[in-house]
Amino acid sequence: MMVRVLCAAAMVLAGCSASTGSTPTPGDQAVEVSGAVRVAAVGDIACDPDAPTYTDCHHDETAELIRSQDVDALLALGDLQYDKGAADDWPQSYDETYGPLLDKTYPVPGNHEYLTPGAVPYFEYFGTRAGDPDKGYYAFDLGEWRVYALNAECNQIDCAAERTWLVDDIREHQAACQLLFTHAPRYSSGEHGSSTRPERFWAVAYNAGFELALAGHDHDYERFAEMDYAGNVVSTGIRSFVSGAGGRSLYAFESREQGSQVQFGDDYGVLFLALGSGSYSWEYRTISGETIDQGSDTCHGRP
């Protein structure tokens, strides 16, 4: 498979990083994916409207960025309404900015939603779009892609049952290109770092030939090489992204985990994907109008 990549800084070690003061360097453009479904993906979004730092939040600008791209779907990667996903906060903060995108939104809950018991306001706000409130996971089709919204908050739900459901759904749907998204990332070099909670899902997904995995939790952007569920870079692996700079705050990088290729934490932004027939492309854009990273690839398909 050929991958074309633009990075916003010089290549270093396992990849490239963009840090304060860096300027994107022109490079190969991503291959256009004709007839693709255009998708935005971002998490860690709306601030607590009663917090003294509310005016420092940038969720209004990331929402505007998404609306300007006329996407077909928004994958909302958890921690969507800080600090506790309280019922009174959703209409004052998240809904005022991201509400116009509701009919395109496919959410997963994050740890902050569950700071309110059962994440009840989250499920009430999104309704059937969030799946069964006792589960918080579901699957759907975007074009020719099968997409899995997975709940990795395994201290709140039965993730063993979720894994069984995932295996069954993959067997039932024979999509050549598959994508999963969670709140907690399997791999991250950010403040929270890599999480073992999604590993059980990654093991299933890797064996089924998934292409992409998306997550939030760390308030930054990071792209990883194709990897397996055990942390090895392999050509048959899953390419993963962290896109958690949705508005709440930004985190600094202090390390580079195995497989990390691009790191950026200096501005808020959104990951955009084009999901085509047997191929895909990605682009990370900031609210300042910069393109930090972009590339494309073909699906390696089911084994």
Side-chain angles (χ1 to χ4, degrees):
M1 292 181 291
M2 178 177 293
V3 181
R4 296 177 179 151
V5 174
L6 166 67
C7 181
M11 297 298 294
V12 291
L13 298 177
C16 51
S17 60
S19 56
T20 302
S22 64
T23 301
T25 302
D28 291 336
Q29 299 297 306
V31 174
E32 183 178 353
V33 180
S34 62
V37 177
R38 185 145 175 83
V39 178
V42 68
D44 307 272
I45 295 174
C47 294
D48 181 344
D50 297 323
T53 57
Y54 182 75
T55 55
D56 296 329
C57 203
H58 293 267
H59 58 279
D60 56 337
E61 292 168 274
T62 58
E64 182 179 354
L65 174 59
I66 295 169
R67 290 195 298 271
S68 74
Q69 298 304 302
D70 192 27
V71 298
D72 300 299
L74 165 61
L75 309 184
L77 306 177
D79 282 4
L80 308 179
Q81 178 59 70
Y82 286 84
D83 275 328
K84 299 180 179 181
D88 291 344
D89 294 341
W90 286 93
Q92 298 182 70
S93 189
Y94 183 91
D95 188 64
E96 285 208 346
T97 52
Y98 275 74
L101 297 163
L102 185 59
D103 63 348
K104 299 179 179 182
T105 302
Y106 300 90
V108 290
N111 53 295
H112 277 268
E113 273 79 41
Y114 279 109
L115 292 178
T116 296
V120 171
Y122 161 86
F123 287 105
E124 289 180 344
Y125 178 77
F126 286 108
T128 57
R129 302 197 70 85
D132 185 333
D134 293 328
K135 299 176 180 178
Y137 55 86
Y138 54 96
F140 56 99
D141 295 322
L142 285 177
E144 297 184 21
W145 286 64
R146 187 67 173 167
V147 180
Y148 293 89
L150 302 180
N151 188 347
E153 303 305 307
C154 297
N155 60 332
Q156 302 290 336
I157 66 161
D158 185 349
C159 280
E162 183 177 6
R163 181 189 181 281
T164 298
W165 164 85
L166 177 62
V167 170
D168 291 342
D169 194 272
I170 292 170
R171 185 182 299 117
E172 180 181 351
H173 294 84
Q174 297 296 313
C177 300
Q178 302 166 98
L179 176 158
L180 69 85
F181 64 103
T182 60
H183 176 60
R186 177 67 188 95
Y187 302 115
S188 173
S189 305
E191 184 172 307
H192 294 303
S194 300
S195 173
T196 58
R197 283 180 289 162
E199 183 174 356
R200 71 189 75 194
F201 308 132
W202 265 68
V204 173
Y206 172 72
N207 290 327
F210 273 51
E211 310 299 331
L212 298 173
L214 316 177
H217 200 39
D218 275 322
H219 301 185
D220 50 47
Y221 171 74
E222 188 168 21
R223 171 168 57 81
F224 281 82
E226 292 171 300
M227 300 178 70
D228 65 15
Y229 59 91
N232 303 303
V233 176
V234 292
S235 61
T236 56
I238 303 170
R239 175 171 285 114
S240 64
F241 297 83
V242 175
S243 178
R248 171 63 175 80
S249 61
L250 296 173
Y251 291 170
F253 289 97
E254 297 182 359
S255 66
R256 183 181 291 279
E257 294 297 307
Q258 168 76 5
S260 176
Q261 293 184 319
V262 179
Q263 298 179 342
F264 182 79
D266 293 347
D267 198 2
Y268 300 89
V270 178
L271 173 66
F272 294 96
L273 302 169
L275 305 179
S277 177
S279 64
Y280 62 92
S281 67
W282 70 88
E283 181 179 37
Y284 187 75
R285 294 188 181 188
T286 71
I287 59 174
S288 302
E290 294 182 304
T291 296
I292 299 301
D293 178 39
Q294 63 181 12
S296 57
D297 208 346
T298 56
C299 298
H300 43 58
R302 301 169 72 103

